[in-house]
Amino acid sequence: DKPAQLFTWNGTTPYWRWGPWAGWKFIGAVVKDYGYGNEASLTQNNQRGTPSLTFTLFNKPYISNLVISPTGVMKVMHKEGQNEPWKVHWAAIQTPCDVYGACGPFSACSSSGSPTCECLKGFFPLSNEEWSKGNWTSGCLRRTELMCSTNSSNLTSKASKPDGFWRLIQMKLPDHHLFLYNEDAQGCSQWCLSNCSCLAYAYPDGIGCMVWVTELVDIRQSSYGGEDLYLRVANSELGNWGLVWTF
């Protein structure tokens, strides 16, 4: 089974996402006081096919509650006594980057960046006109053709040098991953490079091998935390800083 993710939805459309679960936290969480320190735990109910999340605000004399506001924002509320007013301890949507897919495919969001959205290495905006107006939802397209054919599972000789991986650090990993539980870190990278449909991989602690074979969406650059994402790019995009494996 895939590691669980946490979503809120607007109808059938994702509105916000944390995930996946790494055994003590959601690796997409951009919250400093989160995880073991607040006794967060997730339990899978195999009979019902659903997990349940519990948390405690560690060493704080608060009464706490988890709610969904009328605008669809998940919030943790607390109050210090029975007769005290409720206060917002944390809200899921605080910046434009918290909204699911704010930057479109193959683009990363940064709440401190200018502009807010930036194409991933080796990609360019699908619509410069939309991006100039601050509408990034159309996302980005690949700039340089890969050596690996997109409609084949084998390497091809379309380019003169093999594809490689560009390391992106401190990232909220994209949605729609495949989980390869039986691959170690080296096997994960080799699997991705030898499968032409693989666009990126990651190997976060507590989870293991994650690979992506569809467009990369809902990515965020984190100021702290986050995971390494290894993005497949053409050899010419690597310069002196990328990683290349050949067989």
Side-chain angles (χ1 to χ4, degrees), residues 138-149:
S138 59
C140 305
L141 294 174
R142 190 178 295 279
R143 178 169 52 225
T144 307
E145 187 178 29
L146 297 174
M147 179 179 181
C148 200
S149 171

Side-chain angles (χ1 to χ4, degrees), residues 179-192:
F179 176 50
L180 305 182
Y181 65 91
N182 59 341
E183 297 286 357
D184 60 15
Q186 183 178 2
C188 193
S189 65
Q190 291 179 348
W191 188 98
C192 191

Side-chain angles (χ1 to χ4, degrees), residues 119-124 141-144 166 231 233-234 237:
C119 290
L120 300 180
K121 176 71 173 178
F123 291 78
F124 66 94
L141 294 174
R142 190 178 295 279
R143 178 169 52 225
T144 307
W166 186 267
L231 175 69
V233 296
E237 298 283 357

Side-chain angles (χ1 to χ4, degrees), residues 87-110:
K87 298 179 181 179
V88 178
H89 177 73
W90 168 83
I93 306 294
Q94 301 183 42
T95 73
C97 290
D98 294 316
V99 177
Y100 183 96
C103 293
F106 302 109
S107 179
C109 196
S110 173

Side-chain angles (χ1 to χ4, degrees), residues 190-222:
Q190 291 179 348
W191 188 98
C192 191
L193 190 61
S194 61
N195 284 270
C196 291
S197 59
C198 186
L199 302 175
Y201 79 92
Y203 200 88
D205 290 341
I207 295 179
C209 183
M210 301 168 62
V211 298
W212 286 264
V213 298
T214 60
E215 61 184 18
L216 308 182
V217 296
D218 197 35
I219 311 171
R220 178 174 182 169
Q221 176 73 56
S222 300

Side-chain angles (χ1 to χ4, degrees), residues 115-137:
T116 301
C117 298
E118 184 176 356
C119 290
L120 300 180
K121 176 71 173 178
F123 291 78
F124 66 94
L126 177 63
S127 172
N128 285 318
E129 181 180 359
E130 289 182 3
W131 276 54
S132 66
K133 298 177 181 178
N135 178 4
W136 301 288
T137 55

